[in-house]
Amino acid sequence: MRNLLFLLLFSFVLLLPCCGSDDSGSSGGDADLSEQETGESDLDEGLFHNPHDGQLYVAAGSRTITPTSENHPCDMFIGGTSSNRRPKETHDDLEARAIVLQQDGEHAVLVSMDLVGWIISDVDKVWDRLEALGVDPDHVTIASTHTHTAPDSVGIWGPSDFESGRCPEYIDFLVDTVVDLVVELSETMVPVEVYATETTINVPESNHPNLLSDSRRPNIMNDHFTLARFDDMQGQTVATMLNWHNHPECMIEHKVYSADFPRWTRLKMEQELGGVCVYFSGTVGGLMTTLGVDVPERTEDGEPVLEDGQTVLATEEDEVKTWSFGYVLAEIALEALADAPKMEQAFEVDDEYIEIPLDNIVFVTAFELGILEPYDEMVLDNPDVCGFGGCFPYTIQYVRIGSLHMVSLPGEVFSETSVGRPASSFDWSEKSDGEYGIKEYPAITGYRETLPNGHLLMEFGLANNEIGYIIPYEDMHPSNHPDNYEEYFSAGLHTEQILREGVIRLLERHAE
């Protein structure tokens, strides 16, 4: 995610000591008191009005968000790699997919969009619109799959390094689309039973059997594949949710619009189970990628490709590998879901407020130049904590259904933030011509360790803000280090620790 702007400006990066966190909730005490006095939330009188009968109500749906001359009248640029990358055609449609949930007085909205990312200044427009309809914005998660063949919805991949590629009219279209979809789904919710499980991927024919490639040391991978199925009272599938931790970039070498492998994963899930499949990317930082990963080849219709009875592998970064990746992932999901246990109906929604210091001059400059859309709610009155760039306010959103937990995460979180890691070291002497020596990577206790045995976790990455790579403080490298890359697009030094501690606090409140 680096372009020349970052290369030109990074030499001026001032990484100031920080940071503080605020674990106070984002709701005011007066609002809480009002609900206690009335016994009923005002928000619950709005969009979601299902019976308060202890049942979990759910609906899911999708809308096409592929750029066209009508919804995107600006020049079009593809986000994710470099400036001035212009699409030649649409390979397959991009979509916004959502699932809405309500039980008694609690509700949650979970949206996954085929975008490279969406920044908080634009997500906030959706929150404002939904709040006016009686939806609690702290219970609305809007995540991006992070496909690298989607329009520049962030702004940093425009015609040049100093011009935004973000199209305001297209952003308005996205906001309208998400709001309209949620409103539509609120009218079609039905009582459901929930089945959920976690599995790990093992494809022995592949050069990477877990279908993950880690391009940054230390090589730590979040290989959890977490799945849920929502069935109505007649046993028909209303929705499935999939959460996996890899960059969708099988089509990265092509100048086309494409949802990448999640499209074919969703297609297969819906063909086999019905309902609507919502796919969420998770902890993709660090850098987890499909690049260089061989996968058993499938036809465009999902059938295995064999040669003399042997599996043929898709190895090139092209459409064949894209749909093969998607179909194989769906096959694994379907097998795991077939034996998934039923979750208890216990439904909880919570949040944890944190402040993320912005101490990367690259970000600050991009805001000043209008490359990134300014955010009026930045915390600017606490310079000792927030540094010269202020703080991003961020609400870690949480949903629980029985022993299935879900959390929202901004940007591209590293695997070790989730799963932890042991202490290790690596000698960089050979790779840096002796300029750098042994690098120590201290142990990290991941937030997953907070959960009891047998509990499941979905991690919605790039949710509600794209703040780049969220790097453990001790792993930061100087600009000329051979493993330096993610540093160019990272909000600041202590983001990872602040986020990890916030998620731990949140999970501790609900670990049973």
Side-chain angles (χ1 to χ4, degrees):
M1 298 186 61
R2 177 175 60 188
N3 62 20
L4 183 58
L5 170 64
F6 298 147
L7 292 172
L8 291 172
L9 294 176
F10 190 70
S11 60
F12 299 105
V13 171
L14 302 175
L15 296 174
L16 302 179
C18 54
C19 301
S21 64
D22 182 356
D23 58 0
S24 62
S26 59
S27 299
D30 291 343
D32 293 339
L33 179 60
S34 175
E35 291 181 19
Q36 292 171 8
E37 291 174 344
T38 63
E40 193 170 312
S41 168
D42 289 338
L43 290 173
D44 192 41
E45 296 301 310
L47 199 61
F48 303 104
H49 44 74
N50 297 292
H52 287 206
D53 56 5
Q55 286 281 345
L56 178 64
Y57 286 78
V58 163
S62 66
R63 293 280 182 90
T64 300
I65 57 170
T66 309
T68 67
S69 57
E70 292 184 359
N71 64 40
H72 194 303
C74 318
D75 289 343
M76 296 185 186
F77 304 94
I78 299 175
T81 57
S82 60
S83 298
N84 204 32
R85 183 180 172 216
R86 299 173 184 261
K88 296 181 178 179
E89 60 181 350
T90 294
H91 181 273
D92 54 272
D93 276 327
L94 310 177
E95 294 179 284
R97 289 175 168 247
I99 180 168
V100 296
L101 310 95
Q102 184 190 23
Q103 184 185 75
D104 298 335
E106 295 282 10
H107 62 255
V109 176
L110 308 174
V111 182
S112 177
M113 306 183 74
D114 290 327
L115 298 176
V116 67
W118 216 14
I119 59 175
I120 192 170
S121 52
D122 290 329
V123 173
D124 195 44
K125 298 169 185 174
V126 178
W127 287 335
D128 286 347
R129 291 269 300 276
L130 289 176
E131 186 174 22
L133 298 174
V135 180
D136 187 340
D138 286 340
H139 297 171
V140 178
T141 298
I142 302 176
S144 298
T145 61
H146 198 47
T147 174
H148 283 49
T149 40
D152 180 11
S153 49
V154 177
I156 62 173
W157 297 285
S160 73
D161 296 323
F162 299 98
E163 297 175 89
S164 176
R166 172 184 174 276
C167 180
E169 292 85 354
Y170 182 66
I171 298 302
D172 291 342
F173 162 75
L174 293 177
V175 172
D176 290 343
T177 299
V178 173
V179 172
D180 290 348
L181 177 57
V182 173
V183 171
E184 176 185 293
L185 293 179
S186 72
E187 300 296 332
T188 62
M189 300 175 75
V190 297
V192 297
E193 294 178 331
V194 184
Y195 302 82
T197 189
E198 272 186 358
T199 188
T200 54
I201 293 173
N202 182 24
V203 181
E205 302 96 328
S206 174
N207 57 340
H208 295 272
N210 61 3
L211 301 184
L212 298 168
S213 177
D214 188 353
S215 64
R216 179 176 173 129
R217 294 182 183 275
N219 299 135
I220 306 295
M221 302 185 191
N222 185 354
D223 59 1
H224 296 267
F225 187 17
T226 311
L227 320 157
R229 188 179 79 246
F230 301 81
D231 289 354
D232 65 20
M233 295 301 109
Q234 289 72 49
Q236 300 299 306
T237 298
V238 175
T240 51
M241 285 176 57
L242 278 59
N243 179 219
W244 193 46
H245 311 276
N246 208 349
H247 269 70
E249 51 188 12
C250 295
M251 292 286 286
I252 195 172
E253 296 181 359
H254 301 265
K255 294 180 180 180
V256 299
Y257 287 135
S258 171
D260 213 275
F261 71 79
R263 173 178 176 82
W264 282 270
T265 299
R266 299 182 306 225
L267 177 65
K268 180 72 172 178
M269 298 297 295
E270 293 172 355
Q271 288 174 342
E272 296 296 323
L273 295 179
V276 174
C277 178
V278 186
Y279 177 93
F280 289 92
S281 292
T283 57
V284 299
L287 175 76
M288 310 311 302
T289 179
T290 58
L291 298 176
V293 177
D294 301 340
V295 65
E297 186 173 328
R298 298 290 185 264
T299 67
E300 190 172 0
D301 295 326
E303 297 300 319
V305 177
L306 304 175
E307 189 173 291
D308 297 328
Q310 300 298 311
T311 299
V312 175
L313 294 175
T315 61
E316 302 296 325
E317 313 306 324
D318 58 16
E319 62 178 5
V320 175
K321 179 175 175 179
T322 304
W323 65 57
S324 297
F325 227 107
Y327 283 135
V328 169
L329 197 63
E331 292 164 9
I332 296 167
L334 289 165
E335 182 179 359
L337 276 174
D339 299 320
K342 185 194 297 187
M343 297 291 101
E344 295 180 3
Q345 278 282 328
F347 179 70
E348 293 182 334
V349 183
D350 197 1
D351 57 76
E352 179 76 12
Y353 177 77
I354 59 175
E355 293 178 351
I356 300 173
L358 177 58
D359 47 29
N360 187 336
I361 194 65
V362 171
F363 273 78
V364 175
T365 304
F367 279 122
E368 290 295 324
L369 293 177
I371 297 171
L372 292 174
E373 185 73 3
Y375 184 47
D376 293 338
E377 302 301 319
M378 290 290 287
V379 179
L380 302 173
D381 59 356
N382 192 2
D384 291 339
V385 172
C386 295
F388 65 89
C391 280
F392 286 111
Y394 188 77
T395 299
I396 307 168
Q397 298 159 336
Y398 170 89
V399 178
R400 180 174 78 90
I401 306 172
S403 58
L404 172 63
H405 307 257
M406 310 173 204
V407 293
S408 68
L409 308 169
E412 299 166 61
V413 176
F414 278 35
S415 293
E416 41 265 67
T417 300
S418 172
V419 301
R421 72 184 186 198
S424 65
S425 63
F426 184 77
D427 190 347
W428 286 100
S429 300
E430 183 176 344
K431 291 183 177 292
S432 65
D433 294 327
E435 185 173 355
Y436 297 99
I438 295 175
K439 169 73 173 177
E440 301 290 341
Y441 299 93
I444 290 177
T445 300
Y447 51 68
R448 276 182 174 265
E449 297 184 32
T450 306
L451 293 175
N453 289 335
H455 281 229
L456 315 175
L457 181 63
M458 286 189 170
E459 303 155 81
F460 304 144
L462 295 107
N464 302 329
N465 203 1
E466 164 57 309
I467 60 171
Y469 300 103
I470 300 176
I471 309 171
Y473 169 76
E474 296 85 358
D475 292 11
M476 291 279 189
H477 296 300
S479 60
N480 60 343
H481 190 280
D483 213 23
N484 174 285
Y485 171 68
E486 286 87 349
E487 286 82 352
Y488 285 95
F489 196 67
S490 173
L493 282 171
H494 298 289
T495 302
E496 189 273 341
Q497 181 181 353
I498 293 170
L499 177 63
R500 176 161 43 90
E501 291 176 351
V503 175
I504 289 173
R505 288 194 301 271
L506 190 55
L507 294 179
E508 283 178 342
R509 293 205 293 270
H510 300 277
E512 299 176 356

mmCIF file of all heavy atoms in Angstrom, residues 2 4 21 48 64 80 92 147 191 208 257 263 282 352 369 371 398 405 426 428 468 494 504 511:
data_model
loop_
_atom_site.group_PDB
_atom_site.id
_atom_site.type_symbol
_atom_site.label_atom_id
_atom_site.label_comp_id
_atom_site.label_asym_id
_atom_site.label_seq_id
_atom_site.Cartn_x
_atom_site.Cartn_y
_atom_site.Cartn_z
ATOM 1 N N ARG A 2 2.012 1.181 -0.574
ATOM 2 C CA ARG A 2 2.909 2.321 -0.551
ATOM 3 C C ARG A 2 2.965 2.951 -1.928
ATOM 4 O O ARG A 2 3.015 2.282 -2.930
ATOM 5 C CB ARG A 2 4.299 1.845 -0.142
ATOM 6 C CG ARG A 2 5.364 2.939 -0.140
ATOM 7 C CD ARG A 2 6.670 2.403 0.403
ATOM 8 N NE ARG A 2 7.177 1.316 -0.387
ATOM 9 C CZ ARG A 2 8.216 0.586 -0.022
ATOM 10 N NH1 ARG A 2 8.823 0.799 1.122
ATOM 11 N NH2 ARG A 2 8.630 -0.389 -0.787
ATOM 12 N N LEU A 4 4.562 6.741 -4.073
ATOM 13 C CA LEU A 4 5.683 7.685 -4.018
ATOM 14 C C LEU A 4 5.467 8.754 -2.968
ATOM 15 O O LEU A 4 6.427 9.251 -2.385
ATOM 16 C CB LEU A 4 5.877 8.321 -5.401
ATOM 17 C CG LEU A 4 7.071 9.281 -5.537
ATOM 18 C CD1 LEU A 4 8.367 8.568 -5.197
ATOM 19 C CD2 LEU A 4 7.123 9.843 -6.959
ATOM 20 N N SER A 21 -4.800 5.774 26.444
ATOM 21 C CA SER A 21 -6.059 5.202 25.995
ATOM 22 C C SER A 21 -7.127 5.555 26.988
ATOM 23 O O SER A 21 -6.865 5.793 28.153
ATOM 24 C CB SER A 21 -5.950 3.674 25.869
ATOM 25 O OG SER A 21 -5.724 3.093 27.116
ATOM 26 N N PHE A 48 -35.489 -1.076 14.077
ATOM 27 C CA PHE A 48 -35.667 -2.490 14.410
ATOM 28 C C PHE A 48 -36.794 -2.637 15.423
ATOM 29 O O PHE A 48 -36.709 -2.112 16.533
ATOM 30 C CB PHE A 48 -34.360 -3.059 14.953
ATOM 31 C CG PHE A 48 -33.207 -2.902 13.991
ATOM 32 C CD1 PHE A 48 -32.242 -1.934 14.204
ATOM 33 C CD2 PHE A 48 -33.120 -3.688 12.870
ATOM 34 C CE1 PHE A 48 -31.196 -1.769 13.301
ATOM 35 C CE2 PHE A 48 -32.079 -3.543 11.956
ATOM 36 C CZ PHE A 48 -31.115 -2.576 12.176
ATOM 37 N N THR A 64 -25.145 -4.266 -5.345
ATOM 38 C CA THR A 64 -23.996 -4.067 -6.225
ATOM 39 C C THR A 64 -23.449 -2.651 -6.056
ATOM 40 O O THR A 64 -24.214 -1.688 -6.035
ATOM 41 C CB THR A 64 -24.386 -4.297 -7.691
ATOM 42 O OG1 THR A 64 -24.858 -5.639 -7.844
ATOM 43 C CG2 THR A 64 -23.198 -4.077 -8.619
ATOM 44 N N GLY A 80 -4.915 0.354 -3.885
ATOM 45 C CA GLY A 80 -4.234 -0.783 -3.290
ATOM 46 C C GLY A 80 -2.789 -0.976 -3.648
ATOM 47 O O GLY A 80 -2.062 -1.653 -2.927
ATOM 48 N N ASP A 92 -15.694 -8.691 -12.450
ATOM 49 C CA ASP A 92 -16.857 -9.178 -11.720
ATOM 50 C C ASP A 92 -17.315 -8.078 -10.786
ATOM 51 O O ASP A 92 -16.538 -7.219 -10.396
ATOM 52 C CB ASP A 92 -16.545 -10.469 -10.951
ATOM 53 C CG ASP A 92 -15.346 -10.322 -10.025
ATOM 54 O OD1 ASP A 92 -14.196 -10.553 -10.461
ATOM 55 O OD2 ASP A 92 -15.545 -9.958 -8.849
ATOM 56 N N THR A 147 -10.073 -5.933 -1.061
ATOM 57 C CA THR A 147 -9.665 -6.328 -2.402
ATOM 58 C C THR A 147 -8.839 -5.221 -3.044
ATOM 59 O O THR A 147 -9.166 -4.031 -2.909
ATOM 60 C CB THR A 147 -10.879 -6.651 -3.283
ATOM 61 O OG1 THR A 147 -10.443 -6.886 -4.624
ATOM 62 C CG2 THR A 147 -11.905 -5.544 -3.274
ATOM 63 N N PRO A 191 -36.885 -14.960 12.980
ATOM 64 C CA PRO A 191 -36.187 -15.647 14.071
ATOM 65 C C PRO A 191 -35.299 -16.759 13.522
ATOM 66 O O PRO A 191 -35.662 -17.443 12.564
ATOM 67 C CB PRO A 191 -37.320 -16.197 14.932
ATOM 68 C CG PRO A 191 -38.507 -16.246 14.039
ATOM 69 C CD PRO A 191 -38.341 -15.143 13.054
ATOM 70 N N HIS A 208 1.797 -23.830 0.296
ATOM 71 C CA HIS A 208 1.437 -23.262 1.596
ATOM 72 C C HIS A 208 0.136 -23.948 2.030
ATOM 73 O O HIS A 208 -0.959 -23.450 1.726
ATOM 74 C CB HIS A 208 1.240 -21.747 1.515
ATOM 75 C CG HIS A 208 2.474 -20.977 1.166
ATOM 76 N ND1 HIS A 208 3.371 -20.525 2.119
ATOM 77 C CD2 HIS A 208 2.975 -20.590 -0.034
ATOM 78 C CE1 HIS A 208 4.353 -19.880 1.525
ATOM 79 N NE2 HIS A 208 4.147 -19.904 0.222
ATOM 80 N N TYR A 257 -11.865 -4.191 -12.225
ATOM 81 C CA TYR A 257 -12.612 -4.252 -10.977
ATOM 82 C C TYR A 257 -12.961 -5.705 -10.687
ATOM 83 O O TYR A 257 -13.478 -6.417 -11.541
ATOM 84 C CB TYR A 257 -13.887 -3.417 -11.055
ATOM 85 C CG TYR A 257 -13.665 -1.932 -11.022
ATOM 86 C CD1 TYR A 257 -14.344 -1.094 -11.904
ATOM 87 C CD2 TYR A 257 -12.788 -1.359 -10.107
ATOM 88 C CE1 TYR A 257 -14.159 0.283 -11.865
ATOM 89 C CE2 TYR A 257 -12.596 0.012 -10.062
ATOM 90 C CZ TYR A 257 -13.278 0.824 -10.949
ATOM 91 O OH TYR A 257 -13.078 2.179 -10.904
ATOM 92 N N ARG A 263 -15.647 -13.308 -3.834
ATOM 93 C CA ARG A 263 -16.833 -13.428 -4.681
ATOM 94 C C ARG A 263 -17.202 -14.896 -4.896
ATOM 95 O O ARG A 263 -18.365 -15.279 -4.781
ATOM 96 C CB ARG A 263 -16.609 -12.752 -6.033
ATOM 97 C CG ARG A 263 -17.752 -13.007 -7.007
ATOM 98 C CD ARG A 263 -17.561 -12.299 -8.333
ATOM 99 N NE ARG A 263 -18.633 -12.643 -9.267
ATOM 100 C CZ ARG A 263 -19.828 -12.077 -9.283
ATOM 101 N NH1 ARG A 263 -20.130 -11.148 -8.395
ATOM 102 N NH2 ARG A 263 -20.746 -12.436 -10.162
ATOM 103 N N GLY A 282 -10.043 -10.500 8.040
ATOM 104 C CA GLY A 282 -9.661 -10.328 9.436
ATOM 105 C C GLY A 282 -8.328 -9.630 9.602
ATOM 106 O O GLY A 282 -8.122 -8.501 9.143
ATOM 107 N N GLU A 352 -15.979 -0.637 23.263
ATOM 108 C CA GLU A 352 -14.866 -0.110 24.056
ATOM 109 C C GLU A 352 -14.244 1.054 23.292
ATOM 110 O O GLU A 352 -13.778 0.894 22.155
ATOM 111 C CB GLU A 352 -13.817 -1.201 24.292
ATOM 112 C CG GLU A 352 -12.598 -0.770 25.074
ATOM 113 C CD GLU A 352 -12.859 -0.630 26.570
ATOM 114 O OE1 GLU A 352 -13.915 -1.085 27.040
ATOM 115 O OE2 GLU A 352 -11.984 -0.069 27.266
ATOM 116 N N LEU A 369 -3.401 18.145 2.496
ATOM 117 C CA LEU A 369 -3.470 18.328 1.052
ATOM 118 C C LEU A 369 -4.830 17.948 0.483
ATOM 119 O O LEU A 369 -5.080 18.152 -0.712
ATOM 120 C CB LEU A 369 -2.376 17.497 0.366
ATOM 121 C CG LEU A 369 -0.929 17.908 0.623
ATOM 122 C CD1 LEU A 369 0.028 16.935 -0.064
ATOM 123 C CD2 LEU A 369 -0.678 19.332 0.124
ATOM 124 N N ILE A 371 -5.856 14.923 0.194
ATOM 125 C CA ILE A 371 -5.794 13.585 -0.389
ATOM 126 C C ILE A 371 -6.674 12.640 0.420
ATOM 127 O O ILE A 371 -7.375 11.785 -0.122
ATOM 128 C CB ILE A 371 -4.330 13.105 -0.437
ATOM 129 C CG1 ILE A 371 -3.516 14.012 -1.358
ATOM 130 C CG2 ILE A 371 -4.247 11.649 -0.909
ATOM 131 C CD1 ILE A 371 -2.031 13.768 -1.304
ATOM 132 N N TYR A 398 -18.510 -4.823 19.576
ATOM 133 C CA TYR A 398 -18.508 -6.213 20.038
ATOM 134 C C TYR A 398 -19.912 -6.801 19.942
ATOM 135 O O TYR A 398 -20.898 -6.127 20.277
ATOM 136 C CB TYR A 398 -18.026 -6.269 21.493
ATOM 137 C CG TYR A 398 -18.208 -7.619 22.160
ATOM 138 C CD1 TYR A 398 -17.222 -8.593 22.079
ATOM 139 C CD2 TYR A 398 -19.362 -7.899 22.877
ATOM 140 C CE1 TYR A 398 -17.388 -9.833 22.694
ATOM 141 C CE2 TYR A 398 -19.528 -9.133 23.505
ATOM 142 C CZ TYR A 398 -18.544 -10.094 23.400
ATOM 143 O OH TYR A 398 -18.720 -11.310 24.007
ATOM 144 N N HIS A 405 -17.926 -14.857 19.606
ATOM 145 C CA HIS A 405 -17.631 -13.453 19.864
ATOM 146 C C HIS A 405 -17.198 -12.787 18.557
ATOM 147 O O HIS A 405 -16.563 -13.417 17.709
ATOM 148 C CB HIS A 405 -16.511 -13.311 20.897
ATOM 149 C CG HIS A 405 -16.752 -14.059 22.167
ATOM 150 N ND1 HIS A 405 -17.155 -13.452 23.333
ATOM 151 C CD2 HIS A 405 -16.652 -15.381 22.461
ATOM 152 C CE1 HIS A 405 -17.285 -14.352 24.289
ATOM 153 N NE2 HIS A 405 -16.984 -15.535 23.785
ATOM 154 N N PHE A 426 16.125 -12.525 14.858
ATOM 155 C CA PHE A 426 16.577 -12.803 13.500
ATOM 156 C C PHE A 426 17.780 -11.925 13.205
ATOM 157 O O PHE A 426 17.802 -10.746 13.545
ATOM 158 C CB PHE A 426 15.473 -12.528 12.474
ATOM 159 C CG PHE A 426 15.863 -12.888 11.067
ATOM 160 C CD1 PHE A 426 15.865 -14.214 10.661
ATOM 161 C CD2 PHE A 426 16.230 -11.898 10.161
ATOM 162 C CE1 PHE A 426 16.223 -14.547 9.361
ATOM 163 C CE2 PHE A 426 16.596 -12.228 8.865
ATOM 164 C CZ PHE A 426 16.595 -13.553 8.460
ATOM 165 N N TRP A 428 19.769 -9.904 10.718
ATOM 166 C CA TRP A 428 19.565 -9.224 9.457
ATOM 167 C C TRP A 428 20.883 -8.866 8.759
ATOM 168 O O TRP A 428 20.879 -8.166 7.740
ATOM 169 C CB TRP A 428 18.753 -7.953 9.678
ATOM 170 C CG TRP A 428 17.309 -8.237 9.951
ATOM 171 C CD1 TRP A 428 16.681 -8.269 11.155
ATOM 172 C CD2 TRP A 428 16.313 -8.542 8.977
ATOM 173 N NE1 TRP A 428 15.356 -8.581 11.010
ATOM 174 C CE2 TRP A 428 15.093 -8.746 9.671
ATOM 175 C CE3 TRP A 428 16.317 -8.657 7.577
ATOM 176 C CZ2 TRP A 428 13.915 -9.068 9.016
ATOM 177 C CZ3 TRP A 428 15.137 -8.960 6.932
ATOM 178 C CH2 TRP A 428 13.947 -9.170 7.644
ATOM 179 N N GLY A 468 -4.259 1.857 7.994
ATOM 180 C CA GLY A 468 -3.046 1.201 7.554
ATOM 181 C C GLY A 468 -2.666 0.028 8.429
ATOM 182 O O GLY A 468 -3.485 -0.555 9.139
ATOM 183 N N HIS A 494 2.274 3.353 18.730
ATOM 184 C CA HIS A 494 1.666 2.581 19.807
ATOM 185 C C HIS A 494 0.231 2.130 19.517
ATOM 186 O O HIS A 494 -0.475 1.697 20.423
ATOM 187 C CB HIS A 494 1.714 3.385 21.105
ATOM 188 C CG HIS A 494 3.114 3.683 21.556
ATOM 189 N ND1 HIS A 494 3.950 2.714 22.064
ATOM 190 C CD2 HIS A 494 3.831 4.839 21.541
ATOM 191 C CE1 HIS A 494 5.125 3.263 22.373
ATOM 192 N NE2 HIS A 494 5.079 4.544 22.055
ATOM 193 N N ILE A 504 -8.735 -6.714 24.687
ATOM 194 C CA ILE A 504 -8.653 -7.575 25.872
ATOM 195 C C ILE A 504 -9.644 -7.121 26.938
ATOM 196 O O ILE A 504 -10.358 -7.934 27.531
ATOM 197 C CB ILE A 504 -7.210 -7.598 26.416
ATOM 198 C CG1 ILE A 504 -6.298 -8.387 25.466
ATOM 199 C CG2 ILE A 504 -7.170 -8.205 27.824
ATOM 200 C CD1 ILE A 504 -4.826 -8.315 25.822
ATOM 201 N N ALA A 511 -16.071 -12.808 28.881
ATOM 202 C CA ALA A 511 -15.525 -14.175 28.921
ATOM 203 C C ALA A 511 -16.203 -14.947 30.024
ATOM 204 O O ALA A 511 -16.136 -14.573 31.199
ATOM 205 C CB ALA A 511 -14.008 -14.129 29.125
#
